[in-house]
Amino acid sequence: MTKVQTFNQLSFSQMAFQIRTGKVTSEAIMLACIERIEQREADVGAFVHYDANAALALAKQADSSAAKGPLHGVPFAVKDIIDTDMFPTGWGTPFYDGYQPSRNASCVELFIRAGAIPFGKTVTTEFAYFKPGKTSNPHNLNHTPGGSSSGSAAAVADNMLPFGFGSQTAASLIRPAAYCGVAGYKASHGSFDLQGVMSLSPSLDTLGFLARDIEDFELARSVLCGSTPAKSIDLEAAPLRISLFRGPHWHDGSLEMRDVCSRAMSELKVAGAQTGELACPEVFKLLTEAQKTVMAYEVAHARIYEYSHYKDQLSLQFKQLVESGLAVSRSDFESACTARDRAARILETMFIDTDIILTPAAPGEAPLGLDATGDPLFSRGWNLLKVPCISIPYGKGPNGLPLSVQLVARMGADDDLLAAAKWVDRQLNDLTI
């Protein structure tokens, strides 16, 4: 028997469709979201700032006006490194707490122009790095939600809101999505304008989304890009070619994670996919350390002001990151970039015989404790390579917490990735609405 969904449990695209077709009002959806937030926020701690009365007023205004665009009347969350003129932007730090930008980030403004309603700002780790905020994992409050897009992942997972903006520099979207059991999409680097989004490591920083339905990513991407290009993958004309990539850290993950990836490949083969396995090129074994080098070097330059003027208020983790970055020579930075570029050229050849790579999204289920956000091991290399990635929930770990697989496509092939991810998700999770 299909469970009846309450309005706050609808996906982002379902909400948009039902408002647009007059089946439900924006006010009704907003009230359901507010009720859920009031029930759970004290425990989950997903938000830094929100104004329920203002959001409700905007929903009523949306109901009384002509539709502005494809997101008319739908609420969304904004990670607190992304500027909004309605709410302060604190970057997860005490010394920027209460700072009020005078403008919206480009991504927020484009959503508003499409009719969406910014509900509030969600918790981020300090400077989107390692020091956690107050957020707990909705599936078990004693476990981390991951980071750094902690609040957005938790809010979406707990049915507080249908969609949240996040960002990724190492594993800040894919890992919290995996730990919280929602879909996470890290776009190809440079896909979306980053004006108004805090810079941490310019060659790594990437905007992305957290949602409960992969179709929501297509809708959001079309709003930010202006249009959605035609997909080159035609799943009706030919089976999806998908390959397992164990990678250099396969045995650093849990047995359950490895089993989930293997079972996913078996199920996709039964469903009609053309499956295979890719060997790990030697240069890929250098990518994790290369990512650490590039990130530290660029963070040290991007956040040198805060290190110089607010050092005593920084966490030990962040001070150590900046200090390690200051110690990186330009030669070492360029060597790391050279390893990246070599791996990127090899990756292009790997995609000659496959459309999509399937690989772990995280080492396992969310770890116990709230003083850390988990290991970014299974995303560092992909993020360095700038390719698009999607985390898809699949299975449970030994403590009953979500596990996920990660799909990867070639640089710029985001629409192909989204098309493939929808098909994979249907085969693995048999979703019904």
Side-chain angles (χ1 to χ4, degrees):
M1 183 175 180
T2 303
K3 183 179 178 182
V4 177
Q5 291 177 310
T6 56
F7 291 144
N8 61 295
Q9 293 175 312
L10 296 173
S11 72
F12 197 52
S13 50
Q14 286 173 330
M15 287 183 184
F17 175 77
Q18 295 212 13
I19 292 172
R20 187 166 62 249
T21 57
K23 294 180 178 179
V24 67
T25 63
S26 176
E27 179 183 3
I29 284 174
M30 194 67 74
L31 284 170
C33 291
I34 291 169
E35 181 181 7
R36 180 64 176 175
I37 290 166
E38 289 178 345
Q39 289 172 348
R40 293 281 289 168
E41 172 59 12
D43 293 326
V44 175
F47 290 92
V48 182
H49 301 284
Y50 70 88
D51 187 334
N53 290 330
L56 190 58
L58 289 171
K60 291 178 179 178
Q61 182 179 325
D63 288 333
S64 63
S65 63
K68 290 174 61 177
L71 304 181
H72 187 76
V74 185
F76 68 101
V78 184
K79 182 178 180 180
D80 196 33
I81 65 163
I82 302 173
D83 287 349
T84 57
D85 62 12
M86 287 180 61
F87 307 101
T89 300
W91 295 0
T93 66
F95 42 91
Y96 285 130
D97 185 35
Y99 167 71
Q100 180 59 63
S102 60
R103 65 187 294 278
N104 290 318
S106 299
C107 58
V108 173
E109 187 67 21
L110 286 166
F111 261 46
I112 292 172
R113 284 174 60 86
I117 298 172
F119 186 88
K121 303 298 286 293
T122 51
V123 171
T124 178
T125 57
E126 175 198 37
F127 288 116
Y129 188 53
F130 279 167
K131 183 186 177 184
K134 63 179 181 176
T135 311
S136 296
N137 192 309
H139 296 276
N140 186 321
L141 299 176
N142 296 315
H143 289 247
T144 179
S148 63
S149 304
S150 321
S152 288
V156 170
D158 207 46
N159 294 309
M160 294 179 176
L161 291 174
F163 181 96
F165 276 118
S167 66
Q168 180 160 301
T169 305
S172 294
L173 274 159
I174 298 299
R175 187 171 77 252
Y179 285 170
C180 290
V182 297
Y185 163 52
K186 197 281 301 185
S188 290
H189 185 268
S191 291
F192 306 133
D193 187 89
L194 294 184
Q195 291 186 71
V197 181
M198 183 205 77
S199 173
L200 187 64
S201 177
S203 73
L204 300 172
D205 296 340
T206 310
L207 190 68
F209 314 140
L210 294 130
R212 296 188 293 272
D213 192 324
I214 290 167
E215 287 191 1
D216 298 346
F217 298 155
E218 291 184 317
L219 177 61
R221 181 173 166 80
S222 70
V223 169
L224 295 192
C225 291
S227 63
T228 302
K231 304 173 184 65
S232 61
I233 292 181
D234 186 348
L235 297 178
E236 295 183 0
L240 178 70
R241 300 179 304 163
I242 186 165
S243 298
L244 176 65
F245 183 74
R246 299 175 190 269
H249 303 297
W250 179 255
H251 291 286
D252 295 312
S254 69
L255 287 171
E256 295 82 11
M257 175 277 294
R258 285 178 259 163
D259 179 62
V260 156
C261 289
S262 298
R263 285 194 291 115
M265 290 300 297
S266 296
E267 290 205 24
L268 295 174
K269 183 176 182 179
V270 170
Q274 181 181 318
T275 60
E277 185 169 339
L278 297 170
C280 181
E282 282 298 311
V283 70
F284 275 60
K285 298 175 182 178
L286 305 177
L287 291 182
T288 294
E289 290 305 315
Q291 192 275 344
K292 291 179 181 179
T293 298
V294 169
M295 182 173 175
Y297 181 88
E298 292 187 345
V299 168
H301 290 80
R303 300 271 65 88
I304 190 62
Y305 176 84
E306 288 79 13
Y307 179 79
S308 298
H309 293 271
Y310 300 104
K311 184 176 179 180
D312 292 343
Q313 297 181 59
L314 294 173
S315 69
L316 177 62
Q317 301 103 305
F318 199 76
K319 282 189 285 190
Q320 289 176 337
L321 175 65
V322 173
E323 288 162 2
S324 66
L326 292 173
V328 173
S329 68
R330 182 70 187 185
S331 175
D332 287 344
F333 171 74
E334 290 175 351
S335 293
C337 292
T338 297
R340 174 199 65 199
D341 295 343
R342 283 173 53 209
R345 289 192 294 270
I346 292 172
L347 182 60
E348 275 296 310
T349 67
M350 292 163 67
F351 278 116
I352 293 173
D353 297 318
T354 194
D355 301 314
I356 299 294
I357 289 171
L358 186 146
T359 195
E365 64 181 0
L368 178 66
L370 301 177
D371 57 350
T373 58
D375 196 329
L377 198 59
F378 288 95
S379 288
R380 283 190 186 272
W382 301 119
N383 212 67
L384 181 67
L385 292 170
K386 306 186 179 186
V387 292
C389 307
I390 286 181
S391 174
I392 298 177
Y394 179 58
K396 301 287 185 183
N399 295 304
L401 295 172
L403 294 171
S404 295
V405 297
Q406 179 175 194
L407 303 186
V408 180
R410 58 166 44 94
M411 175 69 175
D414 295 58
D415 293 284
D416 290 346
L417 177 62
L418 291 170
K422 283 199 302 181
W423 184 85
V424 169
D425 192 32
R426 286 196 300 270
Q427 310 315 312
L428 297 184
N429 295 306
D430 190 25
L431 295 179
T432 57
I433 297 174

